[in-house]
Amino acid sequence: MTRDFLISFFAGVAATVVTWIVVRFFAPSLRAWISKAPSIQGNWKYYDGEAAVGEPVGDADFRQVGRAITVKLTRRRSRTGDSYVRRFDSKGEYVDGCLQLAFEERDTRGASVGSLVLKLSSDNKTLNGLTMYFNRDKGEVVAHRIVFQKTV
């Protein structure tokens, strides 16, 4: 009786581990294979404004599994031109030609958050859209144009 219990217990643990591995590692790959989302994975530079002109204000590392996107952003220049470094983590998804992302500044515990809505160009090399966040100095939500350019 004890032997049967131990066999059942370890079989249950093994089934749980196998299920976790399948869900964690294989299901996202299968969804990515089935998904029709274009690949935007890789390194990008980004610029303030409506065009990728002048010096970039930061860089971004896009990771993608199907429609799910995660981005690590590093901003190196403020909107006033001052040099500094701020790091953001972002998650979102590619839906109907648009990339929708929510971001949070690292190490702020949710105190500095916002969103990005970006449209992918037909050549898959430019993302153009808006970033929106609460500006504490102004006391209001602000939106700014932003452009991402894929690096080669």
Side-chain angles (χ1 to χ4, degrees):
M1 177 124 149
T2 304
R3 183 173 182 247
D4 290 340
F5 171 75
L6 289 174
I7 290 171
S8 297
F9 175 78
F10 286 115
V13 169
T16 301
V17 169
V18 167
T19 302
W20 178 81
I21 289 170
V22 167
V23 168
R24 179 76 169 108
F25 297 104
F26 296 119
S29 298
L30 180 61
R31 275 184 292 177
W33 183 69
I34 293 170
S35 172
K36 298 204 185 312
S39 176
I40 59 173
Q41 184 160 303
N43 295 314
W44 298 67
K45 298 286 184 193
Y46 64 97
Y47 305 80
D48 288 335
E50 296 188 23
V53 294
E55 288 294 314
V57 296
D59 54 320
D61 180 27
F62 283 74
R63 295 286 168 231
Q64 178 177 8
V65 177
R67 293 183 345 185
I69 310 287
T70 58
V71 185
K72 297 209 179 288
L73 299 132
T74 303
R75 187 168 180 99
R76 302 187 188 290
R77 188 165 309 281
S78 72
R79 293 201 190 305
T80 60
D82 297 332
S83 185
Y84 67 88
V85 175
R86 293 176 73 184
R87 290 178 167 67
F88 300 87
D89 293 319
S90 184
K91 291 182 192 176
E93 122 179 279
Y94 185 84
V95 178
D96 195 28
C98 286
L99 182 57
Q100 304 163 3
L101 298 164
F103 65 82
E104 177 179 346
E105 187 170 7
R106 288 184 208 158
D107 304 323
T108 63
R109 299 182 184 191
S112 181
V113 297
S115 62
L116 288 159
V117 178
L118 305 164
K119 178 77 172 156
L120 183 63
S121 66
S122 60
D123 64 0
N124 293 352
K125 294 181 180 177
T126 305
L127 289 161
N128 196 322
L130 291 171
T131 178
M132 294 152 281
Y133 57 91
F134 182 75
N135 184 313
R136 292 192 183 336
D137 296 333
K138 292 182 179 180
E140 63 186 11
V141 174
V142 295
H144 296 283
R145 303 289 303 171
I146 192 164
V147 177
F148 288 78
Q149 189 74 42
K150 190 157 193 172
T151 58
V152 180

